[in-house]
Amino acid sequence: MTDARTKDLLTPLFDSNPIMLQILGICSALAVTKTVATALTMSAAVICVLVLANTFVSLIRNHLPRHIRLIIQITIIATLVIVVDQVLRAVAYELSRQLSVFVGLIVTNCIILGRVEAFAMNNGVRASALDGLGNGLGYSWVLILVGGIRELLGTGKLLDVSILPTVAEGGWFEPLAIMLLAPSAFFIIGLLIWGLRSWKPGQKEAAEFAPQSVAREVEPQ
Amino acid sequence: MAERGGTSGTWWQRFTALPNNSARKTIIVTLTVALVCSVLVAGSAVLLKPLQIENKETARRSHIAALSHILEERYGSQIPITLEVRLIDLASGVVVTNVDPVSYDQRRAAADPARQVMVPADQDLAGLKTRAPWAVIYIARRAGRLEMVMLPVRGRGFGSMLYGYLALGADLEHVLGLSFHEHGETPGLGALIDSQDWKRRWRGKIIRDGGIIKLGVAPGPVDPSSELARYQVDALTGATWTGMGVTNLLHYWLGPHGFGPYLAKLREGV
C-alpha cells in the first residue's frame, strides 16, 4: 500500500474519527452499546454497508447525474442495509432481535451518506473502499469500547463471560445499573472525546465566545 | 438540455459519451440502479426466507420450553414433564382430532379468506380483525396430571403485532407465565415485555374476580398491599400503549370469542 492508501485507511481511526471528531452516528452509538455482542454486530453491519456503498458509488461516480445523485446514493445504501438486515435475521436471529430497528436505521446514519458524498463521489474505487473500511473501523472501535465498558460495569460480564463476580452471584461487585441505560453512553463518549482531544489538541474546536472576565466588570476609578 | 451523445461506436460508448445531466442518461442510470437494487433486495429476501422462518420457529419453541421449565423449577426434574399438542376449535371449545396439530398453521389460517373467522368489532379488543378458527395449544402434564395449559395469544401492541403464549396453572384460574416470542416494540421501552424481570411478575396472578376478568397491566406501579395486586402487574415505563395492548389481548383471548369456551369445557372435564 502506498502512503496515500494507508492514510485513507488510518486517518478516520483517530485523526478524523466519525464519532469522536465529527460527532456523527451518535444515535446508534447510544442505543446498541449495552453489550459487546450487539456493538460487534452493529459494527460489522456498518463496515459492510460503508465499504460496499463507497465502492458502488465510486464505480458509477462519473455517470451520476448531479441533480439526482443523492437519491441514487440513498437507494444504494438502503439496498445494502436491507440485504445486511435480511442476512442478520437469517444467521444471527437473537442478535438481530436485540438490534431491532437500529440495523434498518443505518440508512439514515450520517457517516455513510457523508462518506459517499464527500469521498466516494470524487475518488477511485480502491481508495473509496479503504476510506469506507477506515471510517467503519473508526466507528467500530468506539462502539466496542463503549459496549465493553457498559457491559463490564453494568453486569460484571464481557461477552456473557463473568469477569467481575457480582454480589448476586456471591462475589463482591455491585453492578452499576445506570450503565445499562442510554445516558451512560453519553458520559462515556464524552469522556473519550475529552481524552482524545487532550492527546491530540489539534482536534479542539475554537471557542465560540470568550467568557467574560469578572475583573472587567469593576469600573476603573 | 442538448443531447450531445455521439452517433458512432458501440451503444456503451455512446452511453458513456452522453453528458451526465442529459435526460436520457438520467433515466437510464435511474432505471438501472433501481433494477439492480430491487433484484438484490428481492433476491436476499426470497433466498433467506427459509432460514428466517426456521429461526422464528426455533424462538417459538424455546419460549414454550422456557414456560414448561417453570414446572421443573417448582417440582424438580425427577418426574419428567410431558408436552401434548392439541388443536382446539375456538368457537365450540371442542378438540379437533382429525387434523394433525403440528401441521396446522394458525397464522396462515387467520390470513386465509377461505378459513378465517371475522372478529366482531365490539369484541375485537386485541385489534385482530380476523382470527383462525382453530388454535394450537400445549398441555404440560406431570405423571399424567394436567399442570399447565399454554395458549397462543396475539394482539396489537404499540407499533406491532405481539405473538406470545399465556401459561395457565392446573386450576385454570391463575397465570404461570406470559411470554412473547415475536414483536416489534420499541427497544428499551415496549420491548421489555420480553425481559425476564417483567415476565416473572406474571407468575401467580389471578385471572378473574367473580367472573370478571381483571388480569392485566396496571396503569402504573402496583401497590402490593392493594386488592388489585392479585390481578395486575406493574406497567412498563414509557410503554403505555404496549401495556394496554397486552391487557387487551389477554381480555380477548380469555374471553368468550377466544379460549373461553374451551377453558369452560376443560374446567368441567377436570
Side-chain angles (χ1 to χ4, degrees):
Chain A
M1 275 202 290
T2 62
D3 281 352
R5 295 271 179 276
T6 321
K7 203 167 145 278
D8 287 336
L9 183 64
L10 296 183
T11 312
L13 285 187
F14 298 104
D15 290 330
S16 175
N17 188 286
I19 295 185
M20 311 277 269
L21 180 68
Q22 302 167 32
I23 322 287
L24 295 177
I26 294 291
C27 169
S28 56
L30 300 182
V32 304
T33 50
K34 203 147 89 177
T35 61
V36 179
T38 49
L40 277 171
T41 319
M42 186 69 179
S43 300
V46 168
I47 291 176
C48 278
V49 173
L50 203 42
V51 171
L52 292 174
N54 260 7
T55 309
F56 289 141
V57 170
S58 173
L59 265 176
I60 59 171
R61 70 186 186 283
N62 293 328
H63 299 287
L64 272 186
R66 277 208 76 74
H67 46 276
I68 59 160
R69 70 183 193 287
L70 284 174
I71 303 173
I72 301 274
Q73 289 163 5
I74 284 288
T75 309
I76 292 174
I77 295 168
T79 305
L80 292 166
V81 170
I82 294 172
V83 172
V84 166
D85 193 26
Q86 294 288 334
V87 170
L88 276 180
R89 276 167 205 238
V91 301
Y93 183 69
E94 198 39 52
L95 279 169
S96 81
R97 259 171 62 104
Q98 287 174 30
L99 289 171
S100 65
V101 293
F102 292 103
V103 175
L105 283 178
I106 296 176
V107 179
T108 59
N109 192 321
C110 305
I111 300 174
I112 297 172
L113 189 61
R115 290 331 289 173
V116 164
E117 171 70 5
F119 196 92
M121 283 301 284
N122 310 311
N123 287 281
V125 175
R126 205 192 300 171
S128 298
L130 280 173
D131 177 77
L133 182 63
N135 276 283
L137 290 173
Y139 173 82
S140 301
W141 79 255
V142 178
L143 230 65
I144 294 164
L145 184 62
V146 175
I149 294 172
R150 287 182 67 187
E151 189 178 351
L152 185 65
L153 297 181
T155 63
K157 296 175 183 171
L158 270 184
L159 285 169
D160 261 345
V161 179
S162 188
I163 306 282
L164 307 172
T166 56
V167 174
E169 289 166 355
W172 54 271
F173 180 67
E174 185 73 58
L176 306 169
I178 191 174
M179 283 295 161
L180 298 178
L181 304 172
S184 69
F186 259 128
F187 303 147
I188 296 169
I189 292 174
L191 291 172
L192 286 174
I193 292 175
W194 178 28
L196 188 69
R197 289 184 186 187
S198 306
W199 174 38
K200 291 177 180 291
Q203 295 192 3
K204 280 184 197 156
E205 288 148 27
E208 282 172 20
F209 58 88
Q212 201 173 13
S213 81
V214 183
R216 275 175 57 197
E217 283 172 14
V218 181
E219 292 288 317
Q221 291 183 341
Chain B
M1 213 168 285
E3 303 268 306
R4 287 187 290 106
T7 48
S8 60
T10 63
W11 64 270
W12 177 250
Q13 281 166 338
R14 286 208 302 276
F15 166 70
T16 51
L18 282 171
N20 274 356
N21 287 339
S22 73
R24 199 188 299 172
K25 193 158 190 174
T26 305
I27 291 172
I28 294 175
V29 169
T30 314
L31 286 180
T32 316
V33 170
L35 193 69
V36 172
C37 288
S38 51
V39 166
L40 278 174
V41 168
S44 67
V46 171
L47 287 176
L48 296 168
K49 187 113 195 186
L51 271 174
Q52 293 169 354
I53 291 175
E54 206 179 296
N55 286 334
K56 282 186 183 169
E57 180 60 18
T58 315
R60 193 184 64 85
R61 278 168 205 267
S62 75
H63 277 248
I64 300 241
L67 283 174
S68 56
H69 188 69
I70 293 172
L71 291 177
E72 279 177 23
E73 271 175 32
R74 174 178 292 180
Y75 297 116
S77 51
Q78 275 82 16
I79 302 176
I81 309 287
T82 54
L83 269 186
E84 181 188 322
V85 195
R86 267 193 196 172
L87 196 56
I88 303 298
D89 180 62
L90 287 167
S92 66
V94 177
V95 179
V96 180
T97 46
N98 55 353
V99 177
D100 176 19
V102 180
S103 68
Y104 186 69
D105 188 338
Q106 207 176 320
R107 213 180 285 192
R108 187 168 287 176
D112 179 0
R115 289 184 288 169
Q116 66 190 193
V117 174
M118 292 309 204
V119 182
D122 58 328
Q123 296 200 49
D124 195 8
L125 297 166
L128 301 176
K129 293 196 178 75
T130 64
R131 66 153 167 78
W134 300 340
V136 183
I137 69 158
Y138 294 81
I139 291 179
R141 290 178 194 279
R142 183 171 167 274
R145 224 178 78 95
L146 185 146
E147 290 288 354
M148 184 193 273
V149 182
M150 284 176 249
L151 308 171
V153 293
R154 179 169 74 96
R156 192 148 284 288
F158 170 59
S160 67
M161 209 42 129
L162 317 174
Y163 294 88
Y165 282 93
L166 171 68
L168 302 182
D171 61 357
L172 306 179
E173 289 299 338
H174 73 279
V175 176
L176 283 177
L178 175 66
S179 117
F180 292 97
H181 54 274
E182 210 183 314
H183 65 81
E185 297 300 285
T186 319
L189 300 173
L192 292 178
I193 53 169
D194 204 15
S195 67
Q196 289 302 331
D197 177 53
W198 201 65
K199 281 198 270 192
R200 208 168 291 128
R201 288 167 194 254
W202 287 94
R203 201 168 300 176
K205 295 294 171 193
I206 314 289
I207 296 169
R208 285 182 187 79
D209 177 22
I212 299 160
I213 300 173
K214 284 206 170 168
L215 181 70
V217 182
V222 174
D223 176 6
S225 60
S226 81
E227 176 64 14
L228 283 175
R230 299 171 64 210
Y231 312 101
Q232 297 189 334
V233 298
D234 291 345
L236 289 163
T237 306
T240 314
W241 281 93
T242 310
M244 278 162 58
V246 171
T247 305
N248 288 339
L249 72 88
L250 288 174
H251 280 234
Y252 172 77
W253 286 104
L254 289 168
H257 206 262
F259 289 102
Y262 172 68
L263 291 175
K265 279 221 160 56
L266 197 61
R267 212 172 283 128
E268 286 164 21
V270 285

